[in-house]
Coordinates of all heavy atoms in Angstrom, one line a residue:
M668 N -41.3 11.8 -21.7 CA -40.4 11.1 -22.5 C -39.2 11.9 -22.6 O -39.3 13.2 -23.0 CB -41.0 10.8 -23.9 CG -40.3 10.2 -24.8 SD -41.1 9.3 -26.2 CE -40.9 10.6 -27.5
R669 N -38.1 11.3 -22.6 CA -36.8 12.1 -22.7 C -36.1 11.8 -24.1 O -36.2 10.6 -24.5 CB -35.9 11.7 -21.6 CG -34.6 12.3 -21.6 CD -33.8 11.8 -20.5 NE -33.6 10.4 -20.4 CZ -33.0 9.8 -19.5 NH1 -32.5 10.4 -18.5 NH2 -32.9 8.5 -19.6
A670 N -35.6 12.8 -24.8 CA -34.9 12.5 -26.0 C -33.4 12.8 -25.8 O -33.0 13.6 -25.1 CB -35.4 13.5 -27.1
I671 N -32.6 11.9 -26.4 CA -31.2 12.1 -26.4 C -30.8 12.2 -27.9 O -31.1 11.3 -28.6 CB -30.5 10.8 -25.9 CG1 -31.0 10.5 -24.4 CG2 -28.9 10.9 -25.8 CD1 -30.6 9.2 -23.8
T672 N -30.1 13.3 -28.1 CA -29.7 13.6 -29.5 C -28.2 13.8 -29.5 O -27.7 14.5 -28.7 CB -30.5 14.9 -30.1 OG1 -31.8 14.7 -30.0 CG2 -30.1 15.2 -31.4
F673 N -27.6 13.3 -30.5 CA -26.1 13.5 -30.6 C -25.7 13.2 -32.0 O -26.4 12.5 -32.8 CB -25.3 12.5 -29.6 CG -25.5 11.0 -29.8 CD1 -24.8 10.3 -30.6 CD2 -26.7 10.5 -29.1 CE1 -25.0 8.9 -30.7 CE2 -26.8 9.1 -29.1 CZ -26.1 8.3 -30.0
V674 N -24.5 13.7 -32.5 CA -23.9 13.5 -33.8 C -22.5 12.9 -33.6 O -21.8 13.3 -32.7 CB -23.7 14.8 -34.4 CG1 -22.9 14.8 -35.7 CG2 -25.1 15.6 -34.6
I675 N -22.3 11.9 -34.4 CA -21.1 11.2 -34.4 C -20.4 11.5 -35.7 O -20.8 10.9 -36.7 CB -21.2 9.7 -34.0 CG1 -21.8 9.5 -32.7 CG2 -19.8 9.0 -34.1 CD1 -21.9 8.0 -32.3
P676 N -19.4 12.4 -35.8 CA -18.8 12.6 -37.0 C -17.8 11.6 -37.5 O -16.6 11.6 -37.4 CB -18.0 13.9 -36.7 CG -17.7 13.8 -35.3 CD -18.8 13.0 -34.7
M677 N -18.4 10.5 -38.1 CA -17.6 9.4 -38.7 C -18.2 9.1 -40.1 O -19.4 9.3 -40.3 CB -17.7 8.2 -37.9 CG -17.1 8.2 -36.6 SD -17.3 6.6 -35.6 CE -16.4 5.4 -36.6
E678 N -17.4 8.7 -41.0 CA -17.8 8.2 -42.3 C -18.6 7.0 -42.2 O -18.1 5.9 -41.6 CB -16.5 7.9 -43.2 CG -16.9 7.5 -44.6 CD -17.4 8.8 -45.5 OE1 -16.9 9.9 -45.3 OE2 -18.1 8.6 -46.5
P679 N -19.8 6.9 -42.6 CA -20.6 5.7 -42.4 C -20.0 4.5 -43.3 O -19.6 4.9 -44.5 CB -22.0 6.0 -42.9 CG -22.1 7.4 -43.4 CD -20.6 8.0 -43.2
R680 N -20.2 3.3 -43.0 CA -19.7 2.3 -43.8 C -20.6 1.0 -43.7 O -21.1 0.9 -42.4 CB -18.3 1.9 -43.6 CG -17.8 1.6 -42.2 CD -16.3 1.3 -42.2 NE -15.9 0.3 -43.2 CZ -14.7 0.1 -43.6 NH1 -13.7 0.8 -43.1 NH2 -14.4 -0.8 -44.4
G681 N -20.7 0.2 -44.7 CA -21.5 -0.9 -44.6 C -20.8 -2.0 -43.7 O -19.6 -2.0 -43.7
K682 N -21.7 -3.0 -43.1 CA -21.0 -4.0 -42.4 C -20.4 -4.9 -43.4 O -20.9 -5.4 -44.4 CB -22.1 -4.8 -41.7 CG -21.6 -6.0 -40.9 CD -22.3 -6.0 -39.6 CE -21.8 -7.3 -38.8 NZ -20.9 -7.0 -37.8
G683 N -19.1 -5.3 -43.1 CA -18.3 -6.2 -43.9 C -18.9 -7.6 -43.9 O -19.5 -8.0 -42.9
R684 N -18.8 -8.2 -45.0 CA -19.3 -9.6 -45.1 C -18.4 -10.6 -44.3 O -17.3 -10.4 -44.1 CB -19.2 -10.0 -46.6 CG -19.4 -11.5 -46.9 CD -19.2 -11.7 -48.3 NE -20.4 -11.7 -49.0 CZ -20.5 -11.5 -50.3 NH1 -19.5 -11.3 -51.1 NH2 -21.8 -11.5 -50.8
P685 N -19.1 -11.5 -43.5 CA -18.3 -12.5 -42.7 C -17.4 -13.2 -43.6 O -17.7 -13.6 -44.7 CB -19.4 -13.4 -42.1 CG -20.7 -12.8 -42.5 CD -20.5 -11.7 -43.5
R686 N -16.2 -13.4 -43.1 CA -15.2 -14.2 -43.8 C -15.2 -15.7 -43.2 O -15.5 -15.9 -41.9 CB -13.8 -13.7 -43.7 CG -13.8 -12.2 -44.2 CD -14.0 -12.1 -45.6 NE -14.0 -10.8 -46.1 CZ -14.5 -10.2 -47.1 NH1 -15.4 -11.0 -47.8 NH2 -14.4 -9.0 -47.5
A687 N -14.7 -16.6 -43.8 CA -14.6 -18.0 -43.3 C -13.2 -18.5 -43.6 O -12.4 -18.2 -44.5 CB -15.5 -18.9 -44.2
T688 N -12.8 -19.3 -42.7 CA -11.4 -19.9 -42.6 C -11.5 -21.3 -42.0 O -12.5 -21.6 -41.4 CB -10.4 -19.1 -42.0 OG1 -9.1 -19.6 -42.2 CG2 -10.6 -18.9 -40.4
S689 N -10.5 -22.1 -42.2 CA -10.4 -23.4 -41.5 C -9.3 -23.4 -40.5 O -8.1 -23.1 -40.8 CB -10.3 -24.4 -42.7 OG -10.2 -25.7 -42.1
I690 N -9.6 -23.8 -39.3 CA -8.5 -23.8 -38.3 C -8.6 -25.3 -37.7 O -9.6 -25.7 -37.2 CB -8.7 -22.9 -37.2 CG1 -8.5 -21.4 -37.8 CG2 -7.7 -23.0 -36.0 CD1 -8.7 -20.3 -36.8
A691 N -7.6 -26.0 -37.9 CA -7.4 -27.4 -37.2 C -8.6 -28.2 -37.8 O -9.3 -29.0 -37.2 CB -7.5 -27.4 -35.7
G692 N -9.0 -28.0 -39.1 CA -9.9 -28.8 -39.8 C -11.4 -28.4 -39.4 O -12.3 -29.1 -39.9
R693 N -11.6 -27.3 -38.7 CA -13.0 -26.8 -38.4 C -13.2 -25.5 -39.1 O -12.3 -24.7 -39.1 CB -13.1 -26.9 -36.9 CG -12.9 -28.1 -36.2 CD -13.2 -28.0 -34.8 NE -14.0 -29.1 -34.6 CZ -15.1 -29.0 -33.7 NH1 -15.3 -28.1 -32.9 NH2 -15.8 -30.1 -33.5
A694 N -14.3 -25.3 -39.6 CA -14.7 -24.1 -40.3 C -15.0 -23.0 -39.1 O -15.5 -23.4 -38.1 CB -15.9 -24.2 -41.1
R695 N -14.6 -21.8 -39.5 CA -14.7 -20.7 -38.5 C -15.0 -19.4 -39.3 O -14.5 -19.2 -40.3 CB -13.4 -20.5 -37.7 CG -13.5 -19.3 -36.8 CD -12.2 -19.1 -36.0 NE -12.3 -17.9 -35.3 CZ -11.6 -16.8 -35.6 NH1 -11.0 -16.6 -36.7 NH2 -11.8 -15.7 -34.8
Q696 N -16.0 -18.7 -38.9 CA -16.4 -17.4 -39.5 C -16.0 -16.3 -38.6 O -16.0 -16.4 -37.3 CB -17.8 -17.3 -39.8 CG -18.3 -18.2 -40.9 CD -19.8 -17.8 -41.3 OE1 -20.6 -17.4 -40.5 NE2 -20.0 -18.1 -42.7
Y697 N -15.6 -15.2 -39.2 CA -15.2 -14.0 -38.4 C -15.6 -12.7 -39.2 O -15.7 -12.7 -40.4 CB -13.6 -14.1 -38.1 CG -12.8 -14.0 -39.4 CD1 -12.3 -12.8 -39.8 CD2 -12.5 -15.1 -40.1 CE1 -11.5 -12.8 -40.9 CE2 -11.7 -15.0 -41.2 CZ -11.2 -13.9 -41.7 OH -10.4 -13.8 -42.8
T698 N -15.7 -11.7 -38.4 CA -15.9 -10.3 -39.0 C -14.6 -9.6 -39.4 O -13.6 -9.7 -38.6 CB -16.5 -9.5 -38.0 OG1 -17.8 -10.1 -37.5 CG2 -17.0 -8.0 -38.4
P699 N -14.4 -9.1 -40.5 CA -13.2 -8.5 -41.0 C -12.8 -7.3 -39.9 O -13.6 -6.7 -39.3 CB -13.6 -7.8 -42.3 CG -14.8 -8.5 -42.8 CD -15.5 -9.0 -41.5
A700 N -11.4 -7.1 -39.9 CA -10.9 -6.3 -38.9 C -11.3 -4.8 -39.1 O -11.5 -4.1 -38.1 CB -9.3 -6.4 -39.0
K701 N -11.5 -4.5 -40.3 CA -11.9 -3.0 -40.6 C -13.4 -2.7 -40.0 O -13.6 -1.7 -39.4 CB -12.0 -2.7 -42.0 CG -10.5 -2.4 -42.6 CD -10.7 -2.0 -44.1 CE -9.3 -1.7 -44.7 NZ -9.4 -1.2 -46.1
T702 N -14.2 -3.7 -40.1 CA -15.5 -3.7 -39.6 C -15.5 -3.6 -38.1 O -16.2 -2.8 -37.4 CB -16.4 -4.8 -40.0 OG1 -16.5 -4.8 -41.6 CG2 -17.8 -4.7 -39.5
R703 N -14.7 -4.6 -37.5 CA -14.6 -4.7 -36.0 C -14.1 -3.3 -35.4 O -14.5 -2.8 -34.4 CB -13.8 -5.7 -35.6 CG -14.4 -7.1 -35.6 CD -13.6 -8.1 -34.8 NE -12.2 -8.1 -35.0 CZ -11.5 -8.8 -35.8 NH1 -12.0 -9.6 -36.7 NH2 -10.1 -8.6 -35.9
A704 N -13.1 -2.7 -36.2 CA -12.4 -1.5 -35.7 C -13.5 -0.3 -35.7 O -13.6 0.5 -34.9 CB -11.2 -1.1 -36.4
W705 N -14.3 -0.2 -36.8 CA -15.3 0.8 -37.0 C -16.3 0.7 -36.0 O -16.7 1.7 -35.4 CB -15.9 0.8 -38.5 CG -16.7 1.9 -38.7 CD1 -16.3 3.2 -39.3 CD2 -18.0 2.1 -38.5 NE1 -17.4 4.0 -39.4 CE2 -18.5 3.4 -38.9 CE3 -19.1 1.4 -37.8 CZ2 -19.8 3.9 -38.8 CZ3 -20.3 1.8 -37.7 CH2 -20.7 3.1 -38.2
E706 N -16.8 -0.5 -35.8 CA -17.8 -0.8 -34.8 C -17.4 -0.4 -33.4 O -18.1 0.2 -32.6 CB -18.4 -2.2 -34.8 CG -19.1 -2.5 -36.1 CD -19.5 -4.0 -36.2 OE1 -18.9 -4.8 -35.4 OE2 -20.3 -4.3 -37.1
A707 N -16.2 -0.8 -33.1 CA -15.6 -0.4 -31.8 C -15.6 1.2 -31.5 O -15.8 1.7 -30.5 CB -14.3 -1.1 -31.5
E708 N -15.1 1.8 -32.6 CA -14.9 3.3 -32.5 C -16.3 3.9 -32.3 O -16.5 4.8 -31.5 CB -14.2 3.9 -33.6 CG -13.9 5.3 -33.5 CD -13.1 5.9 -34.6 OE1 -12.5 5.1 -35.4 OE2 -13.1 7.1 -34.7
F709 N -17.2 3.5 -33.1 CA -18.7 4.0 -33.0 C -19.2 3.8 -31.7 O -19.8 4.7 -31.1 CB -19.5 3.3 -34.2 CG -20.9 3.9 -34.2 CD1 -21.2 5.0 -34.9 CD2 -21.9 3.3 -33.4 CE1 -22.5 5.6 -34.9 CE2 -23.1 3.8 -33.4 CZ -23.4 5.0 -34.1
A710 N -19.1 2.6 -31.1 CA -19.6 2.2 -29.8 C -19.0 3.2 -28.7 O -19.6 3.6 -27.8 CB -19.3 0.8 -29.5
A711 N -17.7 3.4 -28.8 CA -16.9 4.2 -27.8 C -17.5 5.7 -27.9 O -17.6 6.3 -26.8 CB -15.4 4.1 -28.0
R712 N -17.7 6.2 -29.1 CA -18.2 7.5 -29.2 C -19.7 7.7 -28.7 O -20.0 8.6 -28.1 CB -18.0 8.0 -30.7 CG -16.6 8.2 -31.1 CD -16.6 8.8 -32.4 NE -15.2 9.0 -33.0 CZ -14.9 9.7 -34.0 NH1 -15.9 10.4 -34.7 NH2 -13.7 9.8 -34.4
A713 N -20.5 6.7 -29.1 CA -21.9 6.7 -28.7 C -22.2 6.4 -27.1 O -23.0 7.1 -26.5 CB -22.6 5.6 -29.4
E714 N -21.2 5.7 -26.6 CA -21.2 5.5 -25.1 C -21.2 6.8 -24.3 O -21.8 6.8 -23.2 CB -20.2 4.5 -24.8 CG -20.3 4.0 -23.4 CD -19.4 3.0 -23.1 OE1 -18.2 3.0 -23.7 OE2 -19.7 2.0 -22.2
R715 N -20.5 7.7 -24.7 CA -20.4 9.0 -24.0 C -21.9 9.6 -23.9 O -22.0 10.4 -22.9 CB -19.6 10.0 -24.9 CG -18.2 9.6 -25.1 CD -17.5 10.7 -25.8 NE -16.2 10.0 -26.4 CZ -15.6 10.5 -27.5 NH1 -16.1 11.5 -28.1 NH2 -14.5 9.8 -27.9
Y716 N -22.7 9.3 -24.7 CA -24.1 10.0 -24.6 C -25.2 9.1 -23.8 O -26.2 9.5 -23.6 CB -24.6 10.3 -26.0 CG -23.7 11.2 -26.7 CD1 -22.8 10.7 -27.6 CD2 -23.8 12.6 -26.5 CE1 -22.0 11.5 -28.4 CE2 -22.9 13.5 -27.2 CZ -22.0 12.9 -28.1 OH -21.1 13.8 -28.7
M717 N -24.8 7.9 -23.4 CA -25.6 7.0 -22.7 C -26.0 7.6 -21.3 O -25.1 8.1 -20.5 CB -24.9 5.6 -22.5 CG -25.8 4.6 -22.0 SD -25.1 2.9 -22.1 CE -23.9 3.1 -20.8
P718 N -27.3 7.6 -21.0 CA -27.7 8.2 -19.7 C -27.2 7.3 -18.5 O -27.0 6.2 -18.7 CB -29.2 8.2 -19.8 CG -29.6 7.3 -20.8 CD -28.4 7.0 -21.8
A719 N -26.9 8.1 -17.4 CA -26.5 7.4 -16.2 C -27.5 6.4 -15.7 O -27.1 5.4 -15.2 CB -26.0 8.4 -15.1
D720 N -28.8 6.8 -15.7 CA -29.8 5.9 -15.1 C -30.3 4.9 -16.2 O -30.3 5.2 -17.4 CB -30.9 6.8 -14.6 CG -31.5 7.7 -15.6 OD1 -30.7 8.2 -16.5 OD2 -32.8 7.9 -15.6
Q721 N -30.8 3.8 -15.8 CA -31.2 2.8 -16.6 C -32.5 3.2 -17.3 O -33.4 3.8 -16.8 CB -31.5 1.4 -15.9 CG -32.0 0.4 -16.8 CD -32.2 -1.0 -15.9 OE1 -32.3 -0.9 -14.7 NE2 -32.2 -2.1 -16.6
M722 N -32.6 2.9 -18.6 CA -33.9 3.2 -19.4 C -34.8 2.1 -19.3 O -34.5 1.0 -19.5 CB -33.5 3.6 -20.9 CG -32.5 4.7 -21.1 SD -32.4 5.1 -22.8 CE -31.4 3.9 -23.4
I723 N -36.0 2.5 -18.9 CA -37.1 1.5 -18.6 C -38.2 1.9 -19.6 O -38.6 3.0 -19.8 CB -37.6 1.6 -17.3 CG1 -36.4 1.2 -16.3 CG2 -38.7 0.5 -17.1 CD1 -36.7 1.3 -14.9
G724 N -38.9 0.7 -20.2 CA -39.9 1.0 -21.1 C -39.5 0.9 -22.6 O -38.5 0.4 -23.0
C725 N -40.3 1.5 -23.5 CA -40.1 1.5 -24.9 C -39.0 2.4 -25.3 O -38.9 3.5 -24.7 CB -41.4 1.8 -25.6 SG -42.7 0.8 -25.4
V726 N -38.2 2.1 -26.3 CA -37.1 2.9 -26.8 C -37.3 2.9 -28.3 O -37.5 2.1 -28.9 CB -35.8 2.3 -26.5 CG1 -34.7 3.0 -27.1 CG2 -35.6 2.1 -25.0
A727 N -37.3 4.2 -28.8 CA -37.3 4.4 -30.2 C -36.0 5.0 -30.7 O -35.3 5.8 -30.0 CB -38.4 5.5 -30.5
L728 N -35.6 4.6 -31.9 CA -34.3 5.0 -32.5 C -34.5 5.5 -33.8 O -35.2 4.9 -34.7 CB -33.3 3.8 -32.6 CG -32.0 4.1 -33.3 CD1 -31.1 5.1 -32.6 CD2 -31.4 2.8 -33.6
M729 N -33.9 6.8 -34.2 CA -34.0 7.3 -35.4 C -32.5 7.6 -35.8 O -31.9 8.4 -35.0 CB -34.7 8.6 -35.5 CG -34.9 9.1 -36.9 SD -35.9 10.6 -37.2 CE -34.8 11.8 -36.7
A730 N -32.1 7.0 -36.8 CA -30.7 7.3 -37.2 C -30.6 7.9 -38.6 O -31.4 7.5 -39.5 CB -30.0 6.0 -37.3
V731 N -29.8 8.9 -38.9 CA -29.7 9.5 -40.2 C -28.2 9.4 -40.6 O -27.3 9.8 -39.7 CB -30.1 11.0 -40.1 CG1 -29.8 11.7 -41.5 CG2 -31.5 11.2 -39.6
F732 N -27.9 8.8 -41.6 CA -26.5 8.7 -42.0 C -26.3 9.5 -43.4 O -27.2 9.5 -44.2 CB -26.2 7.2 -42.4 CG -26.2 6.3 -41.2 CD1 -27.6 5.7 -40.9 CD2 -25.3 6.1 -40.4 CE1 -27.6 4.9 -39.9 CE2 -25.4 5.2 -39.4 CZ -26.5 4.7 -39.0
V733 N -25.2 10.2 -43.3 CA -25.0 11.1 -44.6 C -23.7 10.6 -45.3 O -22.6 10.5 -44.7 CB -24.7 12.6 -44.1 CG1 -24.5 13.5 -45.3 CG2 -26.0 13.1 -43.3
F734 N -24.0 10.2 -46.5 CA -22.9 9.6 -47.3 C -22.4 10.7 -48.2 O -23.2 11.5 -48.9 CB -23.3 8.4 -48.1 CG -23.7 7.2 -47.2 CD1 -24.9 7.0 -46.7 CD2 -22.7 6.4 -47.0 CE1 -25.2 6.0 -45.9 CE2 -22.9 5.2 -46.2 CZ -24.1 5.0 -45.7
K735 N -21.1 10.7 -48.7 CA -20.7 11.5 -49.8 C -21.3 11.1 -51.1 O -21.6 9.8 -51.3 CB -19.2 11.4 -50.0 CG -18.4 12.1 -48.8 CD -16.9 12.0 -49.1 CE -16.1 12.6 -48.0 NZ -14.6 12.4 -48.1
R736 N -21.5 11.9 -51.9 CA -22.0 11.6 -53.3 C -20.9 10.8 -54.0 O -19.8 11.3 -54.1 CB -22.4 12.8 -54.1 CG -23.1 12.6 -55.4 CD -23.4 13.9 -56.0 NE -24.0 13.5 -57.4 CZ -25.1 14.1 -57.8 NH1 -25.7 15.0 -57.2 NH2 -25.6 13.7 -59.0
P737 N -21.3 9.7 -54.7 CA -20.3 8.9 -55.4 C -19.7 9.7 -56.5 O -20.5 10.4 -57.2 CB -21.1 7.7 -55.9 CG -22.2 7.6 -55.1 CD -22.6 8.9 -54.6
Q738 N -18.5 9.5 -56.8 CA -17.8 10.4 -57.9 C -18.3 10.1 -59.3 O -18.6 10.9 -60.1 CB -16.3 10.0 -57.8 CG -15.5 11.1 -58.5 CD -14.0 10.9 -58.3 OE1 -13.6 9.8 -57.9 NE2 -13.2 11.8 -58.6
R739 N -18.8 8.8 -59.5 CA -19.4 8.5 -60.7 C -20.7 9.2 -61.1 O -21.2 9.1 -62.2 CB -19.5 7.0 -60.8 CG -20.5 6.4 -59.9 CD -20.6 4.9 -59.9 NE -21.2 4.2 -58.9 CZ -22.6 4.2 -58.8 NH1 -23.3 4.5 -59.8 NH2 -23.2 3.6 -57.7
L740 N -21.3 9.8 -60.1 CA -22.6 10.5 -60.1 C -22.4 12.0 -60.3 O -23.1 12.8 -60.2 CB -23.6 10.1 -59.1 CG -24.0 8.7 -59.0 CD1 -25.0 8.5 -57.8 CD2 -24.6 8.2 -60.2

């Protein structure tokens, strides 16, 4: 079994709630721009660590997120 370990130095953020709008009388939902930008940047940084060969079999993921302590606490 091979382990891939990496750190992505980004401020973690929760996924933005989907927004809804009406275009030409039809409802449409979309992801907020800040969420899309964060996800794209995270994917670009994580892609650097993707192995060149295809992974076959079971995959396990352990993610650790470190948040700043809220100022109110």
Side-chain angles (χ1 to χ4, degrees):
M668 182 161 94
R669 176 178 62 182
I671 302 169
T672 304
F673 58 92
V674 175
I675 298 179
M677 289 177 66
E678 182 78 28
R680 55 180 310 163
K682 179 142 175 103
R684 167 185 269 160
R686 304 293 183 208
T688 188
S689 177
I690 297 176
R693 302 186 129 215
R695 176 181 174 260
Q696 287 191 331
Y697 62 95
T698 302
K701 284 184 178 180
T702 299
R703 282 195 321 265
W705 190 93
E706 289 173 347
E708 184 175 347
F709 182 87
R712 290 182 181 200
E714 191 174 27
R715 298 177 197 158
Y716 302 97
M717 190 169 68
D720 55 324
Q721 184 179 14
M722 294 189 291
I723 298 172
C725 298
V726 176
L728 170 71
M729 185 177 82
V731 177
F732 297 93
V733 180
F734 291 87
K735 288 183 182 177
R736 184 180 179 135
Q738 197 170 17
R739 63 184 169 84
L740 298 177

